[in-house]
């Protein structure tokens, strides 16, 4: 119970749906914002009623969608609600996802004052053609302006998202995007490989042959170049797709990767508290309706929960490996595993580990703690072949 | 009462409406009420309904009071409608005295119309020509009628025009049967002989033999003998199909019915065999019996080794009902334990494959089909091989012979060129041509069977826009310059990917196979070299480069479940692959050999 939790709030609204996006987002549904805020507030209240005591919380993440589309005032009241319900630590990381072009000097100022202390900007690319292809509604000047305003407002923890492996993208274009982003001196960078999902605009274009399918080897080149470049610039590569100035790792995402508990509020949000994974109804209006009419059972049977999965120990161990091995530096510590489960990692996963170390995808290293505990993690080659490792930790 | 019996069958090209006509006959004679009428009662299996063909013959007794006020017993014997089942058709025809020849008013005479007609004439049947589907806008019944007359003789007004779908003019067909089809000629005093024209396995009554009583009489308690297989049994029951099984106290010469033998396998009661009385056996069996000879062979392997037992059980069960399916255990270095199965033809193989997948829910690897080769060794020894893996070393071989077929293709004359091209491209050669009807040409060819079993029919259909039809039969085994095409994966020969090819095709096929495999084999954690070799040299090679990137970029909003599902799916796909050495090869790769012609 004294273990700190995290809280995720999903804000599914967008001005326009990007061409690659298959997240739970809705464009042109702004008229539902007031009702959605009510539902979200109610969900937080219900959670508080169901909780036997106030949970300690050390990170909050407003994700989307485009949370920055909401008025700063609304975001502030949500945050205030959370402060009423949870025991939020003084140094809690409170992140907001924002799209350049949806923020202003004024709004960023209010958000910072409201308590947000980390801003994650969806930059995606510095190349106008690529931004058009992705159907992003901003340009790179918006990015520069947003970063400046954020700095002026007192945000000293900034993260930028970039996407690589785009149709038609060259290594040179990619290098420019990374270099321009680094010029803005962000504390944190997420570099995501594009996945063309069916049901998205890109998926549709690719199926019709309008755009070339990106070559995975090119994407690998881009990744490896960026990894080298960022290392030179003093960024620590701490997760497959994430780099940070030491001390600025994203605490909220670390919570997921260390397989630690988090609440999820909002349409389609996922939570994992008390050994139960839950998923909320993802359709916007149905979520609102469920929250309006529904009565709550025991947590996490909140009214909008449509999926509920009890995590047994075996599954928890598998998921700990699955998520922990994404942490490229930290990996999964033998010692922590033993403390958490009361059994040796090798005893449970010996066969898989042996096989994967033999083919050079996993390695044992000593970690940085004084007692130099042994840590299992992906090899450098394994960073890009994660799935070949992870499939050994699912049924 | 033999004088009032009419035994007949319906012959037609696939899709010309045989089953629909049978349905109408059953309805009109009140054998089946409209309520009981499910479409195409005679085709018991779903698969047949879907493929639009009849695989298993059936027999139904109908009672019909004709315009002369006499009640007749009409026995309809249904015949399978595909080239692979020619022998079964011939036995069913032998059980009849007459045949309704159904021709589609929109399609006209097709290859199987002719093939079946010739068999019917050979069996000395009275032919009643019927033109079906006259309700369709594109029907040209008068033209088709002229074609039939020029083929069969007779006069135009003897041909009955019907629409089986709409039930139009069906009574005329029944009257024609009564009038034209002769009553069975019987010798009731002769020792009992019954012809088995079909059989199926019933879990309660054992093998049910479908019989046409030729001579004598059979009563329930009498022990009978299968003359070819020399098995004696005391029947569980004898009866008739109405169309359900209905026990009777006797089956007399001329009648059609069933004998529930209690036998455990259809192997003991084969189509074409003669059943006689054990106590007073006939001196001679009826003529024309043969054991079915498989023409096409393929390896069947479980996708996962654990399923071997299930596959064996499924094949055993299928064989209960299908005496023409043969199989024996086979071990492949690449695929592990499985079976080598023999089929009457490619169509038969497809049916078995679909039934294994559908009815038994099995995940299998079917290797590319092959024919049976006769290999003459230098020491004079002759061996038959039905798998490329069995081919002896080249230095020991004097010659390799392969089955050659006589192939008839009937097509609108417009497609003369494409048909010639398809056949000659596949080593076939032209023999002769006939014009059975205006605008229709019948082309006769000789072609190796090995060329026919790989996509030939699909190719023919697509090149002639579905208009051409074909029929084929074995001529003889002929020697040719044949050699083994081997595939090596990381230096190891993969037996299940080997093929026997003509020398002049080896280079070409080897190259295309490598291209195909390169596209099918997924990238692994290391480079995979694939090579094709034939006649002692490497023809083609390619490299499947090592996998560099395979990782989910993002775990969105804590949704680990979705990520896990993707990984589980990936793992399942990997599990279904076959491991050869260290290399994982998907099942499609083993079929790649099959699809070489299409490029």
């Amino acid at each position: 119970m004294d273990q700190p939790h995290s809280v995720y709030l999903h804000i599914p609204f967008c001005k326009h749906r990007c061409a690659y996006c298959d997240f739970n987002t809705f464009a042109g549904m702004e008229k539902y914002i007031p009702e959605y805020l009510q539902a979200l507030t109610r969900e937080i209240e219900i959670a508080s009623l169901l909780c036997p005591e106030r949970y300690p919380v050390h990170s909050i993440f407003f994700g989307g969608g485009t949370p920055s589309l909401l008025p700063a005032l609304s975001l502030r009241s949500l945050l205030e609600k959370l402060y009423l319900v949870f025991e939020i630590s003084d140094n809690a990381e409170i992140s907001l996802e924002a799209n350049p072009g949806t923020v202003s000097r004024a709004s960023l100022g209010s958000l910072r004052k409201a308590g947000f202390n980390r801003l994650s900007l969806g930059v995606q690319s510095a190349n106008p053609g690529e931004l058009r292809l992705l159907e992003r509604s901003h340009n790179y000047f918006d990015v520069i302006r947003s970063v400046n305003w954020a700095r002026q407002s007192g945000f000293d923890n900034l993260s930028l998202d970039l996407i690589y492996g785009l149709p038609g993208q060259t290594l040179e274009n990619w290098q420019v995007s990374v270099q321009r982003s680094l010029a803005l001196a962000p504390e944190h960078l997420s570099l995501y490989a594009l996945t063309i999902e069916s049901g998205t605009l890109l998926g549709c274009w690719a199926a019709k042959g309008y755009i070339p399918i990106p070559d995975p080897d090119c994407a690998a080149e881009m990744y490896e170049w960026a990894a080298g470049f960022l290392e030179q610039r003093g960024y620590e590569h701490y997760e497959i797709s994430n780099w940070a100035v030491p001390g600025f790792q994203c605490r909220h995402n670390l919570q997921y990767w260390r397989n630690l508990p988090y609440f999820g509020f909002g349409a389609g949000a996922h939570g994992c508290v008390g050994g139960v994974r839950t998923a909320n109804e993802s359709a916007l209006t149905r979520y609102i309706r469920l929250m309006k009419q529904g009565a709550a059972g025991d947590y996490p049977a909140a009214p909008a929960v449509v999926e509920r999965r009890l995590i047994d120990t075996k599954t928890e161990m598998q998921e700990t490996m699955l998520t922990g091995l994404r942490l490229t530096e930290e990996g999964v510590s033998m010692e922590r595993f033993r403390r958490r489960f009361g059994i040796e990692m090798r005893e449970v996963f010996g066969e898989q580990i042996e096989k994967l170390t033999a083919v050079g995808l996993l390695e044992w290293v000593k970690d940085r703690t004084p007692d130099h505990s042994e840590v299992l993690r992906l090899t450098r080659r394994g960073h890009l072949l994660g799935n070949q490792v992870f499939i050994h930790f699912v049924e | 009462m033999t004088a009032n019996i009419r035994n007949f069958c319906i012959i037609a090209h696939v899709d010309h409406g045989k089953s629909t006509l049978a349905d109408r006959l059953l309805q009109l004679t009140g054998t089946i009420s409209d309520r009981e009428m499910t479409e195409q009662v005679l085709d018991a299996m779903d698969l047949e309904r879907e493929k639009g063909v009849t695989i298993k013959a059936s027999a139904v007794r109908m009672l019909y009071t004709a315009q002369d006020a006499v009640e007749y017993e009409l026995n309809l014997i249904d015949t399978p409608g595909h080239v692979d089942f020619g022998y079964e058709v011939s036995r069913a025809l032998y059980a009849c005295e007459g045949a309704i020849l159904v021709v589609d008013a929109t399609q006209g005479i097709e290859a199987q119309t002719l093939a079946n007609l010739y068999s019917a004439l050979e069996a000395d049947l009275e032919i009643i020509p019927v033109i079906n589907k006259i309700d369709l806008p594109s029907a040209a019944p008068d033209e088709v009628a002229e074609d039939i007359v020029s083929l069969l003789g007779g006069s135009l007004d003897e041909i009955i025009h019907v629409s089986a779908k709409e039930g139009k003019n069906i009574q005329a067909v029944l009257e024609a049967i009564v009038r034209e089809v002769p009553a069975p000629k019987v010798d009731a005093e002769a020792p009992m002989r019954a012809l088995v024209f079909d059989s199926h396995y019933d879990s309660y009554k054992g093998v049910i033999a479908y019989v046409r009583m030729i001579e004598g009489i059979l009563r329930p308690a009498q022990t009978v003998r299968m003359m070819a297989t020399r098995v004696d049994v005391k029947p569980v029951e004898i009866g008739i199909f109405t169309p359900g099984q209905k026990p009777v106290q006797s089956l007399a010469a001329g009648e059609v019915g069933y004998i529930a033998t209690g036998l455990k396998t259809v192997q003991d009661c084969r189509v074409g065999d003669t059943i006689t009385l054990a106590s007073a056996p006939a001196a001679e069996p009826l003529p024309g019996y043969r054991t079915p000879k498989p023409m096409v062979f393929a390896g069947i392997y479980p996708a996962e080794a654990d399923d071997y037992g299930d596959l064996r059980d499924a094949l055993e069960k299928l064989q209960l009902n299908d005496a023409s399916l043969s199989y024996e255990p086979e071990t492949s270095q690449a695929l592990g334990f499985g079976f080598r199965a023999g089929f009457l033809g490619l169509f038969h193989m497809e049916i078995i494959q679909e039934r294994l997948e559908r009815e038994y829910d099995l995940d299998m690897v079917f290797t590319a089909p092959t024919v049976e080769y006769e290999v003459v060794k230098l020491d004079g020894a002759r061996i038959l091989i039905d798998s490329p893996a069995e081919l002896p070393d080249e230095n020991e071989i004097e010659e390799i012979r392969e089955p050659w077929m006589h192939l008839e293709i009937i097509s609108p004359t417009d497609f003369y060129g494409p048909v010639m091209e398809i056949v000659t491209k596949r080593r076939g050669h032209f023999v002769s041509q006939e014009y059975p009807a205006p605008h229709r040409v019948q082309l006769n060819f000789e072609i190796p069977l090995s060329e026919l079993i790989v996509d030939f029919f699909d190719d023919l259909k697509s090149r002639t826009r579905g208009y051409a039809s074909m029929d084929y039969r074995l001529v003889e085994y002929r020697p040719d310059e044949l050699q083994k095409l081997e595939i090596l994966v990381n230096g190891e020969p993969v037996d299940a990917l080997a093929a026997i090819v003509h020398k002049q095709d080896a280079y070409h096929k080897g190259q295309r196979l490598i291209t195909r495999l390169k596209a099918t084999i997924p990238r692994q954690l290391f480079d995979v070299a694939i090579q094709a070799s034939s006649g002692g040299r490497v023809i083609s090679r390619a490299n499947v480069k090592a996998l560099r990137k395979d990782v989910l970029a993002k775990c969105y909003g804590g949704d680990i479940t979705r990520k896990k599902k993707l990984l589980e799916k990936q793992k399942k796909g990997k599990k279904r692959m076959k491991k050869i050495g260290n290399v994982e090869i998907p099942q499609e790769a083993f079929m790649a050999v099959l699809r070489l012609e299409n490029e």
Side-chain angles (χ1 to χ4, degrees), chain A residues 11-56:
Chain A
I11 310 295
F13 303 97
C14 280
K15 265 198 263 184
H16 175 79
R17 206 171 151 88
C18 303
Y20 58 92
C21 178
D22 79 328
F23 298 166
N24 191 37
T25 60
F26 304 89
M29 302 279 267
E30 286 86 345
K31 64 173 179 191
Y32 288 103
I33 289 179
E35 280 184 88
Y36 185 75
L37 288 173
Q38 275 173 25
L40 203 49
T41 311
R42 180 149 163 72
E43 195 182 2
I44 299 168
E45 273 168 7
I46 290 175
S48 77
L49 294 175
L50 296 170
C51 294
E53 56 192 285
R54 282 157 63 93
Y55 280 87

Side-chain angles (χ1 to χ4, degrees), chain B residues 358-563:
Chain B
R358 204 178 299 198
E359 293 169 36
Y360 298 93
D361 197 25
L362 286 169
D363 243 347
M364 298 155 303
V365 178
F366 258 73
T367 62
T370 169
V371 301
E372 189 171 61
Y373 293 91
E374 191 180 71
V375 181
V376 183
K377 303 221 282 190
L378 287 175
D379 61 9
R382 293 145 77 98
I383 52 170
L384 289 171
I385 60 160
D386 56 29
S387 157
E390 293 169 6
L391 194 67
D393 196 81
E394 269 172 50
N395 311 325
E396 298 173 29
I397 297 174
E398 167 81 33
E399 69 179 17
I400 304 176
R401 299 173 184 161
E402 63 180 330
W404 275 71
M405 313 303 281
H406 176 83
L407 170 70
E408 290 167 19
I409 294 176
I410 293 190
S411 157
T413 43
D414 301 355
F415 300 111
Y416 192 103
V419 171
M420 286 300 246
E421 197 194 321
I422 294 169
V423 176
T424 46
K425 201 180 80 190
R426 297 176 186 243
R427 293 197 285 140
H429 56 250
F430 173 78
V431 176
S432 63
Q433 65 190 40
E434 292 155 48
Y435 292 88
H439 311 298
R440 301 227 130 201
V441 62
Q442 174 182 338
L443 294 165
N444 301 314
F445 300 98
E446 283 182 348
I447 188 171
L449 178 60
S450 62
E451 302 285 343
L452 275 186
I453 60 175
V454 180
D455 286 346
F456 182 89
F457 192 53
D458 291 343
D459 204 11
L460 179 68
K461 279 283 176 192
S462 73
R463 296 285 292 279
T464 62
R465 284 191 239 128
Y467 282 116
S469 55
M470 63 179 250
D471 195 29
Y472 61 84
R473 61 174 188 275
L474 179 67
V475 183
E476 62 180 342
Y477 274 71
R478 288 181 193 161
D480 210 334
E481 288 184 302
L482 301 168
Q483 58 189 42
K484 191 163 163 185
L485 174 64
E486 250 186 332
I487 300 295
L488 296 91
V489 172
N490 272 358
E492 291 289 313
V494 182
D495 54 5
L497 286 174
I500 294 173
V501 297
H502 193 266
K503 192 177 177 183
Q504 71 190 32
D505 295 334
Y507 181 73
H508 216 48
K509 286 193 173 171
Q511 269 196 327
R512 277 188 294 186
L513 188 51
I514 291 297
T515 314
R516 234 2 129 73
L517 288 172
K518 188 177 174 188
T520 327
I521 296 175
R523 296 168 68 177
Q524 328 253 323
L525 290 171
F526 40 84
D527 285 353
V528 176
I530 33 181
Q531 296 168 300
S533 108
S534 193
R537 64 199 178 90
V538 172
I539 293 167
S540 177
R541 65 179 90 223
N543 223 358
V544 180
K545 279 194 300 172
L547 181 68
R548 280 189 66 186
K549 178 175 168 297
D550 175 24
V551 65
L552 289 171
K554 194 170 182 181
C555 161
Y556 167 66
D559 185 359
I560 282 155
T561 314
R562 175 174 162 192
K563 195 174 120 139

